[in-house]
């Protein structure tokens, strides 16, 4: 999203190619190598902390680059229950450079507020269509330039290389440009989880990111890249939302919804489907944005005038509505709280949360399970009735990283890497290097 001026998004009426109905998730490996457990990292298409705790982003975008004086915003967002803040930075190519000391200060603010920092360079927005935008290569140079502020912060920081790095022109260059930027950062010694935005102003209506994500992931020597889709007017139906998100889950590729809103000039995004599907599939989402929007998209402000006590209708829906921050956000365990909530549902007696076998608990209990087998159906996804036979991690128990143990042990692990495959899902061989 581009705050100071118009987005120039082009509305495309055609539905995304290849949209399918919602599929049950398949957790196959995204590549032969897995990231080393250093800080926030990817394993089998999911995002984890260094200790193996699965981390699902629930956060808000904050336009720091244009409002650097709004120093309380990160703390205010955290107080609403978010576990992540995506912070807009400037590389100096289009907007004022966010310097090394300022980056370090922002990281400190995130840590003090107990939220994970996703830091992004905004100057790449709409490259190829917007002549003022800069390249991913220049964005990589920026990250290398502020490397000293990032070093040692791998537990707390995700580096989002460049916001919406291609517009609706020349977007076929996205794949190589993204691979080259990843390699450049790895060669410079950045070991953080990297996040890469889709082209087409982030919305990937061309399916360029969708079709090339596996090769981009494989190009990262650390296998530690997270993909980010921005969902605005292109995603105005549940089928489009579900089809896109399920493609990544089904192929074991890590994905977050890095931006979305409840309205936009290019169409009416289906925010209910976005939030419900992300929750059902355990995918992160980051809403746009805290405050300060202009150029006709002021309706995307979550609070009025950076006042945390004055929620807009969008802010109230995002924070307090169905599948919102207040009921689904779980804080990162790196902050010493054991991965508890920030004022939301911890999966206790009221429903919600995740069963030992990795599926969500049914919010409506047995009402969602007409055949009484312990498995229900909610939000277009299987769920587990608390206390039922399904609520046991029946494939041999659950490893500390949240995956089930393989019932057949090493027999399900032909390549001997500790990760097996049973019941259309990854499983962990007891006592292996994956058993952490």
């Amino acid at each position: 999203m581009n705050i100071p001026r118009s987005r120039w998004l082009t509305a495309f009426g055609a539905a995304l190619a290849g949209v399918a109905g919602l599929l049950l998730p398949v957790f196959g490996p995204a590549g032969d190598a897995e990231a080393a457990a250093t800080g926030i990292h990817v394993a089998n298409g999911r995002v984890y902390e260094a200790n193996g705790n699965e981390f699902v982003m629930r956060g808000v975008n904050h336009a720091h680059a244009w409002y650097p004086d709004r120093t309380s915003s990160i703390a205010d967002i955290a107080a609403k229950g978010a576990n992540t803040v995506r912070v807009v930075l400037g590389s100096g190519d289009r907007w004022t450079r966010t310097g090394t000391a300022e980056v370090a200060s922002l990281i400190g603010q995130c840590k003090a507020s107990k939220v994970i920092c996703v830091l992004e360079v905004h100057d790449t927005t709409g490259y190829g269509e917007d002549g003022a935008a800069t390249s991913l290569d220049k964005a990589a140079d920026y990250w290398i330039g502020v490397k000293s502020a990032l070093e040692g912060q791998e537990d707390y920081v995700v580096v989002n290389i460049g916001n919406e790095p291609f517009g609706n022109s020349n977007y076929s260059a996205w794949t190589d440009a993204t691979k080259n930027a990843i390699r450049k950062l790895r060669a410079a010694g950045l070991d953080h989880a990297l996040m890469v935005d889709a082209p087409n102003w982030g919305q990937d209506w061309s399916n360029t990111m969708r079709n090339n994500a596996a090769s981009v992931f494989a190009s990262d020597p650390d296998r530690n890249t997270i993909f980010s889709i921005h969902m605005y007017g292109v995603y105005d139906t549940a089928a489009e939302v579900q089809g896109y998100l399920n493609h990544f889950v089904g192929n074991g590729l890590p994905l977050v919804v890095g931006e979305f809103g409840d309205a936009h000039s290019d169409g009416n995004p289906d925010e209910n489907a976005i939030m419900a599907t992300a929750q059902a599939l355990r995918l992160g989402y980051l809403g746009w944005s805290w405050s300060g929007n202009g150029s006709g998209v002021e309706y995307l402000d979550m609070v009025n005038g950076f006042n945390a006590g004055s929620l807009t209708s969008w802010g109230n829906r995002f924070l307090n509505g169905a599948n919102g921050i207040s009921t689904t956000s779980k804080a990162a365990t790196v902050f010493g709280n054991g991965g508890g909530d920030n004022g939301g549902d911890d999966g206790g007696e009221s429903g919600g949360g995740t069963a030992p076998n990795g599926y969500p608990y049914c919010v409506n209990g047995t009402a969602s399970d007409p055949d009484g087998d312990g498995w229900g159906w909610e939000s277009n996804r299987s769920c587990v009735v608390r206390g039922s036979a399904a609520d046991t991690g029946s494939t041999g128990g659950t490893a500390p990283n949240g995956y089930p143990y393989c019932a057949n042990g090493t027999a399900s692990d032909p390549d001997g890497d500790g990760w097996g495959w049973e019941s259309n899902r990854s499983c962990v061989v007891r006592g292996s290097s994956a058993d952490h």
Side-chain angles (χ1 to χ4, degrees), residues 60-102:
V60 176
N61 284 268
H62 167 51
H64 171 80
W66 300 293
Y67 301 100
D69 58 326
R70 299 293 183 174
T71 54
S72 67
S73 292
I74 291 174
D76 288 343
I77 292 168
K80 295 296 185 184
N83 64 22
T84 305
V85 178
R86 183 173 180 256
V87 185
V88 175
L89 309 181
S91 65
D93 295 288
R94 180 171 186 178
W95 289 293
T96 301
R97 177 183 173 87
T98 308
T100 304
E102 195 173 358

Side-chain angles (χ1 to χ4, degrees), residues 103-147:
V103 171
S105 176
L106 288 165
I107 295 171
Q109 291 175 49
C110 285
K111 292 166 72 173
S113 297
K114 299 184 178 181
V115 291
I116 297 300
C117 248
V118 175
L119 302 176
E120 61 103 337
V121 164
H122 215 77
D123 302 52
T124 56
T125 307
Y127 181 74
E129 182 175 350
D130 184 348
T134 195
S135 67
L136 280 173
D137 186 64
K138 293 294 291 293
D141 288 339
Y142 168 79
W143 293 116
I144 294 168
V146 298
K147 178 183 173 184

Side-chain angles (χ1 to χ4, degrees), residues 19-339:
V19 171
L22 185 63
L23 303 174
L24 285 176
V26 178
F27 299 92
D32 294 333
E34 296 289 350
T38 301
I40 298 170
H41 64 283
V42 171
N44 269 32
R46 297 288 172 181
V47 178
Y48 292 91
E49 297 181 70
N51 65 0
N53 182 70
E54 185 175 346
F55 183 67
V56 179
M57 295 182 191
R58 289 285 180 267
V60 176
N61 284 268
H62 167 51
H64 171 80
W66 300 293
Y67 301 100
D69 58 326
R70 299 293 183 174
T71 54
S72 67
S73 292
I74 291 174
D76 288 343
I77 292 168
K80 295 296 185 184
N83 64 22
T84 305
V85 178
R86 183 173 180 256
V87 185
V88 175
L89 309 181
S91 65
D93 295 288
R94 180 171 186 178
W95 289 293
T96 301
R97 177 183 173 87
T98 308
T100 304
E102 195 173 358
V103 171
S105 176
L106 288 165
I107 295 171
Q109 291 175 49
C110 285
K111 292 166 72 173
S113 297
K114 299 184 178 181
V115 291
I116 297 300
C117 248
V118 175
L119 302 176
E120 61 103 337
V121 164
H122 215 77
D123 302 52
T124 56
T125 307
Y127 181 74
E129 182 175 350
D130 184 348
T134 195
S135 67
L136 280 173
D137 186 64
K138 293 294 291 293
D141 288 339
Y142 168 79
W143 293 116
I144 294 168
V146 298
K147 178 183 173 184
S148 62
L150 302 171
E151 289 177 316
Q153 304 301 324
E154 292 84 358
D155 285 348
Y156 307 97
V157 173
V158 174
V159 174
N160 191 173
I161 303 175
N163 183 68
E164 301 177 1
F166 285 85
N168 294 325
S169 302
N170 303 315
Y171 54 82
S172 61
W174 176 89
T175 303
D176 286 342
T178 301
K179 290 178 178 179
N180 290 337
I182 291 170
R183 293 186 186 112
K184 189 171 190 175
L185 293 178
R186 295 304 187 210
L190 270 75
D191 296 322
H192 304 70
L194 301 178
M195 186 179 288
V196 295
D197 284 8
N200 310 130
W201 300 94
Q203 296 201 81
D204 201 28
W205 57 260
S206 65
N207 283 332
T208 299
M209 183 172 82
R210 172 174 165 157
N211 294 339
N212 293 283
S215 69
V216 170
F217 186 88
S219 75
D220 179 358
D222 291 355
R223 302 295 196 272
N224 200 17
T225 296
I226 303 163
F227 298 91
S228 175
I229 181 68
H230 294 182
M231 290 188 156
Y232 292 103
V234 170
Y235 299 92
D236 58 357
T237 69
E240 290 165 329
V241 171
Q242 294 164 356
Y244 197 91
L245 299 185
N246 269 281
H247 174 85
F248 279 78
V249 173
N251 285 278
L253 293 163
L255 182 72
V256 301
V257 182
E259 288 186 19
F260 71 103
D262 65 341
H264 208 272
S265 56
D266 71 329
N268 184 19
D270 190 340
E271 71 279 5
N272 295 324
I274 292 167
M275 296 170 77
T277 308
Q279 176 65 8
L281 297 179
R282 305 199 323 273
L283 298 180
Y285 66 65
L286 307 168
W288 187 276
S289 72
W290 185 240
S291 196
N293 287 283
S295 302
V297 295
E298 291 83 357
Y299 49 78
L300 288 172
D301 283 0
M302 293 185 183
V303 299
N304 294 299
F306 290 92
N307 180 358
S310 180
L311 291 177
T312 65
S313 59
W314 165 226
N316 187 56
R317 190 270 168 269
F318 178 81
L319 295 169
N320 301 318
N323 301 297
I325 291 288
S326 65
T327 57
T328 67
S329 179
K330 301 291 189 293
T333 59
V334 71
F335 298 114
N337 58 5

